[in-house]
Amino acid sequence: MKVTMVMLSSVDGKTTQGNNKNVYVWSSKEDQKHFFSLIQKNNLIVMGRATYEASKPVIKLEKGKLRIVLTRSPNKYSNQSVKDQLEFSDESPNKLLKRLLALNYGNILLVGGSTTNGLFLKQNLVDKLYLTIEPKIFGSGKNLVDGQLLNTKLHLISVKKINKAGTLLLKYKIIR
Ligand SMILES: NC(=O)c1ccc[n+]([C@@H]2O[C@H](COP(=O)([O-])OP(=O)(O)OC[C@H]3O[C@@H](n4cnc5c(N)ncnc54)[C@H](OP(=O)(O)O)[C@@H]3O)[C@@H](O)[C@H]2O)c1
């Protein structure tokens, strides 16, 4: 089971514009197309609780697609869970992956945010990264990864310019 991380950032590496949680106000339509095609292709989607709250308006639950939200207080969200479609969990990434392996949903799409990315990278569990870089500078905001000291090495697989403004889509293999 492979884990693919997908993230969007500004040229200065910010994944939010300051405190604004809504990334759709600055992401290009080409990146949105890329992101939602990955959502469509993957039936196992993992995210942090803050990302879940920020993306609630665009999350469409569907049969056959399981979303797992990591939180230290899963009980607080139990009234929002939907069997086989939306789960809240306080498992460690390692433990979670072991459990998911048995469920046969296929690969995992890890959609952030920075805290959750850090937990997975720290345990060396990520195989691939899709990183979109929008030609913008924010100066302030969340990072690709927060809260961990890492020395993760990547190998660039491809780089594509996906629109006239120069939005770049980078694909990396993560050396494990
Ligand atoms: N540009 C992009 O591609 C992109 C992608 C995703 C998100 N974002 C943005 O990034 C922001 C969210 O990022 P974030 O770093 O604040 O949060 P996050 O990674 O989405 O979620 C953090 C939450 O994860 C839970 N958590 C932390 N450690 C845990 C552990 N050991 N076990 C279980 N759960 C744990 C905690 O939830 P509890 O507090 O409930 O315990 C914590 O508050 C949002 O504004 C979102 O819009 C941007």
Side-chain angles (χ1 to χ4, degrees):
M1 186 168 61
K2 300 277 184 203
V3 178
T4 297
M5 180 186 292
V6 56
M7 289 297 288
L8 164 73
S9 101
S10 62
V11 165
D12 57 331
K14 299 300 172 196
T15 57
T16 62
Q17 186 180 25
N19 293 326
N20 190 346
K21 293 182 166 66
N22 185 356
V23 298
Y24 298 102
V25 296
W26 57 273
S27 62
S28 58
K29 64 177 190 312
E30 292 79 11
D31 174 66
Q32 290 172 21
K33 195 174 157 197
H34 156 71
F35 179 72
F36 286 107
S37 82
L38 286 176
I39 294 283
Q40 205 171 24
K41 280 186 211 145
N42 286 274
N43 289 327
L44 205 41
I45 298 164
V46 175
M47 72 195 89
R49 194 265 314 153
T51 296
Y52 166 70
E53 302 278 7
S55 10
K56 249 183 187 173
V58 298
I59 293 180
K60 290 192 189 90
L61 295 181
E62 50 190 296
K63 279 192 184 148
K65 204 180 282 289
L66 175 61
R67 286 171 166 90
I68 296 179
V69 179
L70 292 183
T71 169
R72 285 158 295 199
S73 319
N75 293 339
K76 215 166 113 186
Y77 300 91
S78 53
N79 61 337
Q80 294 184 41
S81 67
V82 178
K83 195 179 175 334
D84 298 334
Q85 295 183 37
L86 180 63
E87 272 181 18
F88 296 83
S89 169
D90 60 358
E91 290 159 294
S92 71
N94 254 320
K95 211 173 151 198
L96 178 69
L97 255 62
K98 278 193 191 123
R99 177 170 66 87
L100 294 176
L101 192 58
L103 296 181
N104 271 329
Y105 273 92
N107 294 331
I108 292 182
L109 188 66
L110 175 63
V111 298
S114 40
T115 312
T116 306
N117 290 342
L119 295 175
F120 275 78
L121 287 170
K122 190 74 186 175
Q123 296 188 1
N124 211 11
L125 297 173
V126 185
D127 297 283
K128 198 161 74 178
L129 166 67
Y130 281 112
L131 176 64
T132 302
I133 302 179
E134 296 291 359
K136 292 170 193 275
I137 292 176
F138 295 147
S140 159
K142 294 263 177 194
N143 301 307
L144 201 66
V145 178
D146 279 313
Q148 304 288 345
L149 176 64
L150 301 169
N151 187 22
T152 307
K153 293 181 178 61
L154 313 179
H155 179 83
L156 182 67
I157 303 292
S158 64
V159 52
K160 246 198 262 177
K161 182 179 161 193
I162 57 172
N163 60 24
K164 278 194 183 152
T167 299
L168 297 178
L169 173 57
L170 287 83
K171 183 176 170 184
Y172 289 98
K173 174 182 163 43
I174 297 188
I175 318 283
R176 295 180 56 182

